[in-house]
Amino acid sequence: MSMTVEQRKEYNKKYYKDNKEAMSVQMKEWYADNKEAKNAYSKKYQADNREVIRDKMYKKKYGITLVEYNAMWAEQEGYCLICNEHEDEVKGYGLVVDHNHDTNEVRGLLCGSCNAAIGLLKDSPLILESAVAYLEHRGSYA
């Protein structure tokens, strides 16, 4: 008796649910016995599928695709929307996705420092204005 792909998925899902503890033990044993092979496979997979992994991460975290990220990057020409530094000039991973933590709406791409800064300022324009006033009053070092 052959199964369709969907039938096989349902069968595997049910089997795993019914045998979760035994499968967990079996998987832990396999990983322990095959740690080097698993790590080598993971490294190769990540190297060979970098774009696929980034696309899945952007979809999961921000609800956008890699194509949408690349379009934003092109629109910004690779510059941070706050400090106007090009991603080649900043430390870290280039430009990161900035988003509203309440609505999950993507606002744009920022360098890691600017993204961290507005996060530390609780994404609050009032706190940012207060910080600007403080720097203007006490002296700016930029």
Side-chain angles (χ1 to χ4, degrees), residues 92-139:
Y93 301 103
L95 299 181
V96 298
V97 177
D98 174 50
H99 69 288
N100 181 313
H101 289 260
D102 293 328
T103 66
N104 215 31
E105 179 183 353
V106 172
R107 295 185 282 221
L109 304 178
L110 305 176
C111 70
S113 295
C114 289
N115 191 49
I118 64 171
L120 291 170
L121 295 172
K122 303 176 185 172
D123 292 351
S124 168
L126 293 176
I127 295 174
L128 182 57
E129 287 173 9
S130 179
V132 169
Y134 170 81
L135 287 174
E136 289 174 345
H137 178 71
R138 299 288 178 145

Side-chain angles (χ1 to χ4, degrees), residues 15-142:
Y15 182 86
Y16 180 78
K17 185 179 177 185
D18 293 344
N19 298 284
K20 194 172 186 176
E21 287 183 34
M23 293 290 292
S24 179
V25 169
Q26 184 180 11
M27 287 169 51
K28 285 179 185 176
E29 288 173 357
W30 185 90
Y31 283 126
D33 294 342
N34 298 282
K35 190 173 187 176
E36 287 180 27
K38 188 237 179 257
N39 288 342
Y41 172 81
S42 291
K43 282 184 182 181
K44 181 171 178 10
Y45 179 84
Q46 289 173 5
D48 292 347
N49 297 282
R50 185 179 170 101
E51 302 293 301
V52 171
I53 293 167
R54 285 182 68 204
D55 188 55
K56 286 181 181 180
M57 185 268 300
Y58 288 138
K59 283 179 188 171
K60 183 176 181 179
K61 287 181 80 171
Y62 309 113
I64 64 170
T65 65
L66 182 57
V67 170
E68 291 170 308
Y69 173 93
N70 290 337
M72 284 191 294
W73 190 96
E75 183 179 321
Q76 294 177 211
E77 297 179 357
Y79 288 91
C80 172
L81 289 175
I82 293 178
C83 69
N84 209 34
E85 293 263 342
H86 194 271
E87 79 169 358
D88 293 339
E89 301 166 356
V90 299
K91 294 179 182 177
Y93 301 103
L95 299 181
V96 298
V97 177
D98 174 50
H99 69 288
N100 181 313
H101 289 260
D102 293 328
T103 66
N104 215 31
E105 179 183 353
V106 172
R107 295 185 282 221
L109 304 178
L110 305 176
C111 70
S113 295
C114 289
N115 191 49
I118 64 171
L120 291 170
L121 295 172
K122 303 176 185 172
D123 292 351
S124 168
L126 293 176
I127 295 174
L128 182 57
E129 287 173 9
S130 179
V132 169
Y134 170 81
L135 287 174
E136 289 174 345
H137 178 71
R138 299 288 178 145
S140 171
Y141 298 99

